[in-house]
Amino acid sequence: MLRLMEAEIKKLHASKMWWLLAAGAVLPALITSLSFLEDRNISWLIFMHVALLIFNVQSLLIFSSFAAFLRAREYEENMLEVILCYPYPKRNFLFSKLVVMLLAIGITVILFGMCTLLSGSILLKASLPPSLFRHFIKILLLVSLMHFLLSPAAFFLAGLTHMAVSGVIYGIAGMCLCMMLYSTDFIQFIPMCIPFVLTDHILGMDVMKILPDYGIHWSILAVWPALFLFADAKKQENIYSRNQ
């Protein structure tokens, strides 16, 4: 398993995808700072609220593109036949990609949190309340988990179409849904929009009205990846059986 993860990281190191994650970490804080450049009387809560909204929306595109690239590269570079010859259980290949995906999301979220705190300190010139800092850390952990639970859909689409562009389309569709349904109650039941909606509510802003019980939202986020992982496993079984 460790060798598979090392191989995935080496392949990514030779690509430009890390720059995509870096942009995803830096841009929300930068855009938020520029938005409030003329209005420095805002609070830390408002600054974090806007930064998290931007991060959650753009991350639908960034993380789905990253996941699709991880999955579709073997197809686009005709390496699938070679991979099938490796003496590893076939399920380990997808599992190693998921672990790398989790690491990528975690690193991006950590960098985003650091950039948000740094830019907020420069712009607001005010100390961050310790209680809000702890709450922000908790939200970042939840954001990491939510976006990770959305990634199996991008993996499945990339494996189905054999093209990384399917993840881009999936991410753009999620961004459009967030923007178009922003003021509706139905948005809280769309898996791709749940991080966008739930983060706002957990932070305490309540701009978007949702059910007070988060159980339904976490249930949707739990079922969503399970469906795609099951469909992906069935698809891979058919591929491997045809190549035996």
Side-chain angles (χ1 to χ4, degrees):
M1 179 63 67
L2 292 177
R3 289 185 177 180
L4 290 176
M5 291 175 57
E6 183 181 358
E8 292 293 342
I9 293 174
K10 285 183 177 179
K11 287 188 291 184
L12 288 170
H13 182 71
S15 69
K16 304 297 183 182
M17 294 303 292
W18 294 114
W19 290 105
L20 179 66
L21 297 181
V26 174
L27 284 178
L30 179 61
I31 294 173
T32 305
S33 297
L34 293 175
S35 300
F36 294 118
L37 197 59
E38 300 297 329
D39 182 12
R40 302 193 178 188
N41 294 323
I42 61 169
S43 65
W44 267 105
L45 186 63
I46 297 296
F47 186 86
M48 289 180 174
H49 166 67
V50 175
L52 282 166
L53 287 182
I54 296 173
F55 179 78
N56 279 314
V57 173
Q58 72 159 32
S59 291
L60 293 173
L61 174 60
I62 289 175
F63 291 145
S64 61
S65 300
F66 188 85
F69 176 81
L70 276 177
R71 186 59 186 278
R73 188 170 184 180
E74 285 83 5
Y75 297 100
E76 294 181 343
E77 299 182 4
N78 297 319
M79 296 189 298
L80 185 61
E81 293 78 6
V82 178
I83 292 176
L84 292 174
C85 298
Y86 288 176
Y88 297 106
K90 305 310 177 187
R91 63 179 177 274
N92 286 5
F93 290 100
L94 178 58
F95 184 75
S96 64
K97 293 178 186 294
L98 287 171
V99 173
V100 172
M101 187 70 207
L102 180 59
L103 291 174
I105 291 175
I107 292 172
T108 305
V109 171
I110 290 173
L111 291 176
F112 159 72
M114 294 172 61
C115 291
T116 300
L117 295 176
L118 177 62
S119 58
S121 299
I122 295 173
L123 180 70
L124 303 179
K125 292 181 171 51
S127 60
L128 175 64
S131 59
L132 184 57
F133 174 75
R134 291 191 296 270
H135 195 48
F136 184 60
I137 297 300
K138 175 186 174 182
I139 289 175
L140 292 182
L141 293 174
L142 294 176
V143 166
S144 300
L145 177 59
M146 287 188 284
H147 281 287
F148 175 69
L149 292 174
L150 295 177
S151 61
F155 276 109
F156 174 75
L157 292 174
L160 184 66
T161 62
H162 300 177
M163 295 186 298
V165 70
S166 60
V168 177
I169 296 173
Y170 170 73
I172 292 175
M175 294 175 67
C176 292
L177 287 173
C178 289
M179 295 295 98
M180 291 188 299
L181 303 178
Y182 180 87
S183 59
T184 68
D185 295 335
F186 183 72
I187 189 175
Q188 63 184 304
F189 304 114
I190 302 175
M192 292 180 290
C193 300
I194 289 178
F196 175 68
V197 177
L198 208 56
T199 301
D200 171 79
H201 204 262
I202 295 174
L203 188 62
M205 298 303 295
D206 297 338
V207 174
M208 292 168 278
K209 301 300 180 182
I210 66 173
L211 297 175
D213 183 10
Y214 298 155
I216 182 64
H217 308 107
W218 285 109
S219 298
I220 293 172
L221 284 176
V223 172
W224 186 254
L227 291 174
F228 285 101
L229 288 174
F230 177 78
D232 195 276
K234 289 297 182 182
K235 179 179 179 296
Q236 293 305 310
E237 286 180 5
N238 295 333
I239 293 176
Y240 297 144
S241 61
R242 289 199 303 266
N243 285 274
Q244 286 180 348

